[in-house]
Structures are given as C-alpha cells and as structure tokens.
Amino acid sequence: MSTIKELEKKARIIRLGILEAIGEGQKSHIGGSMSSADLVTALYFHKMRHTHENPKDPKRDRLIFSKGHAVLAQYAALAECGYFPKEELKKTKTLGSLLQGHPEIRTPGIEANTGSLGQGLSIGLGMALGAKLDHKSYKVYVILGDGELAEGQIWEAANTASFYKVDNLIAIVDYNKLQAVGFLKKRYDLGDIRGKFNIFGWKTFEIDGHNMEEIVNTLDEIDSIKGLPSAIIAHTIKGKGISFAENNPIFHNAPLSREQIEKAKKEIQGETILEVKN
Amino acid sequence: MNNQENLRQAYGKELLKWAKKDERIIALDADLCGSTQTVFIEKEIPQRFFEMGIAEQNMTSVAAGLALVGKIPFVNSFAVFSVGQAYNQIRQGIALPRLNVKIVGSSCGLSDFGDGATHQSIEDISIMRAIPNMTIIVPVDAIETRKVVGEVIKYKGPVYIRINRNDLPNVTKESDQFKIGKMQKITEGKDVVIFACGLMVSQSLKAREILLPQGISLRIINVSTIKPLNKEEVIKFSRDIKKVITAEENNVIGGLGGAICEALEDQEMKITRIGINDEFGQSASCYEDLIKYYHLTPEDIITKVKNLINQ
C-alpha cells in the first residue's frame, strides 16, 4: 500500500507520462488529461485490484474513461503499471500505434471503446450489472467530463443505475469547469451537478480532485456503500501542473513546442523535489 | 407456402429456449417487450431480462458493457429505434470493438402499418450495411427465424437481426439448413433471377406461380444474410440468366439491391431493384394497403419481370 506522499510522487510521474504521449508539435488533449491525473493515480496505484500480468482477469476492477479524449492519463498509468512498454507513449496517435487518439480495447488495460461522449457510464453500468449476475465483487469506475454531462445518455444511465441499485458502479466527474471551447458557466452551465446526481438516486461526494488524501479516503469510503451507485464530484483544474496551461481553454487540445514541453517538465519535476524536501 | 406464422413470436420463444440452456444470454428491452416478444424471457427468467425504460441509447451501451464481461446481450426494440436512436452507440461502442451484441430490429419495414412513418424502418438495412464489422440477417419466415437465433448465439460478434411484425408464409422447410453468409435457392427458374429478403421472398413466389402458366419461370434466391454478402453465390446464381431483380422491404438505396449491384459491378447483366423508392411510409389500416401503395405486390414484381425480359 502506497503512502499519500508516494501517490503524489506517482501522480508527477503520470503527468510526465502524459507529456511523453503528447510529444512535440502534435495537437493533444492536454487540459483534461492533466486535470484527471491525480484521480487516475489513486485508482491504479491505490484502489483498484488489477495486474498487468493478467489484464483480462475476470475479477479485476475496471476503469473506463468516458471522457475518452483525456485517455493520455490512463495510457501513462497503464505504461507505469507495465501493461505495455513506456516507449509506446511516444507513438501515441501515430499510424498503426497501439495508443489511439481515443480508447480502444485493443490496447492492454483499456476496458471499452469510448470517446463519443456520453456512452461510458452506460458501458460501465453494463459491466456492473454483469458482475451482479455473476456474483463477482469487482467494481467499475467511470471518469466523466463535466462538459460531457450535457449528454442525455449520462442521465439515462444514472437513472438505470439507481433503479437497479448498482452499488459497484462509481462515477467520478472531473469537474474542471471547462468544456472544449470555454468555461461551462458562460457557455453551457450545467448547474448543480451534485444535486443532479442526488436527485437521480446516487450517493454523492464532493472533493478536491487534486488532494490525494481526500481522493483516497473517498474511494475507500465508497467500498462500504451498499444499495446505490456513488458519484464523486472532483473539483479539478484543467491543465493542472503546467502553469501556462492551467485554466486556459486553448490547452484543451493544442500542440506544445519543445520549449513548452521543457518548461512543463521542469514544473512537474520541480514540484516533486519540493515534495521530497517537505 | 400457405402456412403462415408469426416471426417475432418465433424469435421470442426461441430466444427463451436458448436462454434456458445458456446463462450468458440476456434480453434488454425498452418498454416494448410485448411487441418484441422478449416477454417470454421476462416471465420465465426475470433475472436475465432488463427493462431499460424508453432509453435506447443507454440500453445499447449497457449491452456493450455486458458483452465486455462475457454475456451475450440481445438488444430489443422496433427497428427504427434500435438502429436509428442508438446508431452512434452501435458504431462506436459495439461495431468498432466487434463486441458480441445482438441487435434486434423488430416491427421492421412497413410491418407496423398503423403507426405510420415514425415507426416504419425503411433504411435500417442501409444504415447497418455501412458500418464495418456488422453482420445483417433478415429471416424470411418463422422457421428460419428460429434457426437464426441459434446461429447468431454461436457466432461471436455484432449482428443485426431484422424481424417482421406480422405473420408471414413459411417458405423454408424445417430440414433446410441456415448458415450465416449462405443464400438459399428457393425455386429454380430460367428467365429471371430474383434476389429477395424477408416478405419479398414469398411475394416473389406468388409472382412465380402466376407467371408459370405464361411460360416464364423465376429463380428465387432467399438472401437472409445481407452482410457479409456472399458475392460468389450472387454471381453463381445469376451468370447464366443475366437478368436480375432485387426485392426488399427497404429503401432501394443502400439495401439488398445496392449490395447485389455492388456484387455484380463487373458483370454484364441487367438489374432492376424493387423496394421502397426513397420515400417515407405512412399509416394504413392494414399491412396489405401499404404493400400495394409502395408497389411491393406480386403484380408489381410481374411487371418488372416482363419489362426486364422485353428489354
């Protein structure tokens, strides 16, 4: 079991992995990958029962990136876990690559094809229902974008999950307050997200999505919840960890220059050193 | 051929039969289980029947999730909804990763005569044909429907099954073999070959009976697997006659007719497509009124046969 400090360090490694996958000069979904990096770290290195040695283990916990464009964070974590060589990260989104622009199950460790927004929670619900039918205890975690919550299918799934009392399904909203082209408040206000999940019959939590201790404690607490699905509204910062990208809509999907990558790396590594000194 | 039987009832009962033997089989329905006939499973194996509410997109993606954990989900609704409402869920979540999901389009074509254009699927075959990895099956009668259920369970991958709402004549025999990707010659003939699916096979047989005393014989091929289309068989059944008619209860654009034309693109043949001529359906007091209005009767087939012969 990793300590919070170790997990925080791991999150820096995941962010560096995201930078590897972004590479130089290629348009990439930086913002949403960076905002979900701490959540992904807690799941793969603390919470989920899984092993790269048996990626298809029927008993494994599953993570679906419904906001598929931010899959770079999942790729970085899977590479760090050993699901595929880290060199693959550099080939992300190139012709014939194992790592496509959006998640596909041909990649070891990827559980569903997502990226057409709105579908991942339903797919996770299907898996969770399957676990119930088979009397298996695995859990299904689904990371949703906040902008993605505009998709009606999310709420179809939300209602069905509570109707069937699917307590092995956990939705995590990467609430970074930005959709692709701008701030949600201004462009398409989704209102009270937590309240919406409450009304749909979910147990809800609201946390700082960059506070590792809070993430870990919440994920652990959810293990004991029975009879209803859980949703974590995780307040995050889009582009978290790269000062010039934070809260900047331009970096939803943008290329990085060599200089920008170096600056980003320094910032991420620098914070790590700071952590160690503390 | 006089023996009429209901296809959706045959489907529902057969699915229950297989579900009793195979625990992986699950039925999902969107408030139409009485029409799609998954009600049989609901009654006998309620734990493997899921009422998904009137929410076809969620139902379809849930099926993807179930398939990803080893189940064989059957997604049920009217063809207009199971294909049209959930197109992108089928495309991205099921066809692309080749998941083992069976999508059932019930009340297909004009067969839901009273409900009108909104409930009549005239383009579902065309839509599904354009999706890579998809298999499309149109059972011709109740006998074949029962065999199709068993075969699609054995086949691992996405399948679309198009099922008529009404009673149709049995044109196949219990002893006939159904295999995905194989066509069946129903009758031999020398003047025109008709590639037909669904209702239009029995309509072609009626046309054949009328034409026989006039010295015209039709070779009728039941194309129940529209995709993957067996190109070799299409050529084999048509190269001696060289006069081809396609007949379907679907838009003439992109359906069986389109598929046959593509298969014969290098051949010197005359081809006429019979189907719905790129227009929507409408309400009628009976199925037959629509069949007449949209020119899908044996008489319409006879006119096309004669035009083709006299060309």
Side-chain angles (χ1 to χ4, degrees):
Chain A
M1 195 62 79
S2 304
T3 64
I4 296 299
K5 286 225 179 303
E6 284 165 344
L7 287 170
E8 284 169 346
K9 196 173 169 188
K10 198 60 109 177
R12 310 270 184 252
I13 293 168
I14 298 310
R15 286 197 165 85
L16 291 173
I18 294 169
L19 281 178
E20 280 293 303
I22 289 168
E24 189 191 324
Q26 292 294 326
K27 270 184 101 171
S28 288
H29 289 99
I30 300 162
S33 301
M34 289 296 179
S35 64
S36 57
D38 298 304
L39 300 165
V40 169
T41 302
L43 286 164
Y44 276 108
F45 301 97
H46 168 74
K47 188 74 256 172
M48 295 203 311
R49 294 165 298 176
H50 71 106
T51 167
H52 70 283
E53 283 158 358
N54 188 9
K56 296 283 175 200
D57 181 358
K59 299 192 296 292
R60 74 193 183 278
D61 292 327
R62 288 143 168 94
L63 172 61
I64 296 171
F65 249 76
S66 191
K67 49 173 289 186
H69 55 279
V71 72
L72 301 181
Q74 195 174 14
Y75 289 162
L78 290 170
E80 181 66 18
C81 292
Y83 281 83
F84 44 80
K86 286 187 177 176
E87 293 76 60
E88 291 293 331
L89 290 174
K90 288 193 185 71
K91 295 185 235 161
T92 304
K93 287 167 71 171
T94 59
L95 188 65
S97 171
L98 188 67
L99 308 181
Q100 294 291 298
H102 288 83
E104 292 197 25
I105 56 171
R106 58 170 141 152
T107 307
I110 295 293
E111 302 287 359
N113 285 33
T114 54
S116 180
L117 296 173
Q119 299 180 14
L121 190 59
S122 304
I123 296 174
L125 170 58
M127 291 176 176
L129 286 169
K132 295 282 181 197
L133 284 167
D134 292 338
H135 307 289
K136 290 196 175 109
S137 65
Y138 65 79
K139 289 189 177 339
V140 186
Y141 299 90
V142 182
I143 295 187
L144 301 165
D146 47 6
E148 181 185 12
L149 301 181
E151 291 277 7
Q153 189 183 346
I154 296 286
W155 305 102
E156 293 180 4
N159 201 64
T160 310
S162 65
F163 176 68
Y164 282 105
K165 302 181 169 49
V166 182
D167 51 18
N168 51 344
L169 179 69
I170 299 104
I172 305 172
V173 179
D174 180 7
Y175 192 15
N176 61 30
K177 326 290 186 301
L178 277 150
Q179 58 180 25
V181 296
F183 287 88
L184 284 175
K185 265 266 179 282
K186 194 173 152 203
R187 299 206 64 93
Y188 189 83
D189 192 357
L190 282 152
D192 179 9
I193 291 172
R194 183 176 187 180
K196 283 182 172 142
F197 274 100
N198 280 334
I199 280 175
F200 275 87
W202 290 52
K203 174 80 180 170
T204 60
F205 302 83
E206 199 160 357
I207 64 167
D208 175 352
H210 300 307
N211 182 325
M212 192 57 75
E213 192 165 7
E214 221 179 319
I215 299 170
V216 162
N217 289 343
T218 308
L219 289 171
D220 289 347
E221 187 184 340
I222 284 171
D223 285 344
S224 60
I225 288 165
K226 300 284 172 232
L228 73 172
S230 295
I232 303 172
I233 316 302
H235 289 268
T236 57
I237 294 166
K238 200 158 179 173
K240 173 72 177 176
I242 308 173
S243 59
F244 58 86
E246 284 187 5
N247 269 323
N248 187 343
I250 292 166
F251 289 95
H252 168 75
N253 187 21
L256 292 180
S257 66
R258 183 180 291 267
E259 294 71 34
Q260 284 175 313
I261 289 177
E262 287 312 313
K263 186 170 162 44
K265 270 187 187 168
K266 265 187 196 153
E267 287 183 7
I268 293 164
Q269 284 166 336
E271 286 174 43
T272 308
I273 294 160
L274 210 66
E275 290 286 339
V276 173
K277 277 181 186 167
N278 281 344
Chain B
M1 204 180 88
N2 296 328
N3 181 22
Q4 300 235 346
E5 212 182 330
N6 191 279
L7 277 73
R8 56 194 168 114
Q9 197 173 77
Y11 160 75
K13 286 184 176 172
E14 189 70 9
L15 188 62
L16 170 64
K17 196 185 100 184
W18 283 92
K20 281 180 180 169
K21 293 189 277 193
D22 189 336
E23 289 205 341
R24 297 172 301 166
I25 295 169
I26 289 165
L28 302 131
D29 211 306
D31 195 28
L32 287 168
C33 61
S35 292
T36 65
Q37 299 282 289
T38 55
V39 67
F40 290 111
I41 290 199
E42 182 180 16
K43 275 186 190 148
E44 291 210 30
I45 320 176
Q47 69 278 17
R48 277 191 277 133
F49 171 87
F50 287 95
E51 172 59 74
M52 300 303 287
I54 307 160
E56 296 80 5
Q57 299 182 343
N58 179 53
M59 170 168 71
T60 305
S61 298
V62 165
L66 285 163
L68 281 162
V69 295
K71 305 295 175 193
I72 307 176
F74 279 71
V75 176
N76 298 274
S77 187
F78 284 7
V80 270
F81 309 127
S82 57
V83 173
Q85 194 87 358
Y87 162 73
N88 198 37
Q89 285 70 15
I90 295 169
R91 181 192 189 274
Q92 318 274 39
I94 293 170
L96 176 57
R98 290 179 195 259
L99 297 187
N100 198 16
V101 176
K102 316 304 171 189
I103 299 146
V104 178
S106 205
S107 291
C108 70
L110 303 166
S111 67
D112 183 14
F113 50 84
D115 281 330
T118 55
H119 285 54
Q120 294 161 353
S121 66
I122 49 108
E123 78 286 33
D124 52 315
I125 297 178
S126 317
I127 291 170
M128 292 303 245
R129 268 194 71 223
I131 302 178
N133 301 339
M134 188 57 67
T135 290
I136 304 169
I137 299 173
V138 184
V140 69
D141 58 17
I143 294 169
E144 193 174 68
T145 300
R146 287 188 278 272
K147 294 172 189 165
V148 166
V149 172
E151 286 302 304
V152 301
I153 290 165
K154 286 179 211 156
Y155 170 81
K156 199 174 178 199
V159 181
Y160 174 58
I161 309 153
R162 185 189 215 235
I163 293 184
N164 197 293
R165 183 179 181 83
N166 304 315
D167 295 2
L168 291 182
N170 277 328
V171 301
T172 62
K173 294 188 279 295
E174 295 291 350
S175 57
D176 291 339
Q177 212 197 1
F178 169 80
K179 266 186 88 173
I180 295 172
K182 288 287 284 180
M183 320 184 164
Q184 187 187 359
K185 184 161 70 181
I186 304 287
T187 64
E188 187 48 285
K190 59 176 176 34
D191 298 299
V192 169
V193 55
I194 300 187
F195 292 98
C197 65
L199 163 78
M200 296 310 286
V201 176
S202 52
Q203 299 291 73
S204 300
L205 281 166
K206 287 174 191 163
R208 185 177 188 271
E209 281 169 33
I210 298 166
L211 284 170
L212 268 179
Q214 302 173 31
I216 297 169
S217 70
L218 304 177
R219 180 186 291 162
I220 298 168
I221 311 296
N222 171 30
V223 189
S224 34
T225 308
I226 311 271
K227 189 180 180 182
L229 189 76
N230 193 320
K231 186 175 173 175
E232 291 71 34
E233 284 192 321
V234 175
I235 294 170
K236 183 182 83 183
F237 287 129
S238 54
R239 71 177 151 213
D240 54 339
I241 295 178
K242 294 190 190 308
K243 292 186 177 72
V244 176
I245 286 179
T246 65
E248 66 196 303
E249 194 186 351
N250 187 78
N251 199 336
V252 290
I253 298 173
L256 171 65
I260 297 288
C261 286
E262 289 159 22
L264 295 175
E265 65 185 344
D266 302 326
Q267 313 289 320
E268 281 186 26
M269 296 194 191
K270 287 179 177 161
I271 308 175
T272 299
R273 284 170 295 150
I274 298 175
I276 295 160
N277 287 300
D278 200 24
E279 59 185 324
F280 287 108
Q282 59 180 301
S283 289
S285 54
C286 65
Y287 193 26
E288 290 68 30
D289 281 355
L290 289 173
I291 298 304
K292 263 187 207 158
Y293 183 87
Y294 290 98
H295 302 294
L296 301 172
T297 65
E299 291 69 30
D300 294 308
I301 296 172
I302 288 166
T303 306
K304 298 282 188 186
V305 166
K306 289 185 173 170
N307 286 347
L308 197 58
I309 289 173
N310 295 330
Q311 262 182 29

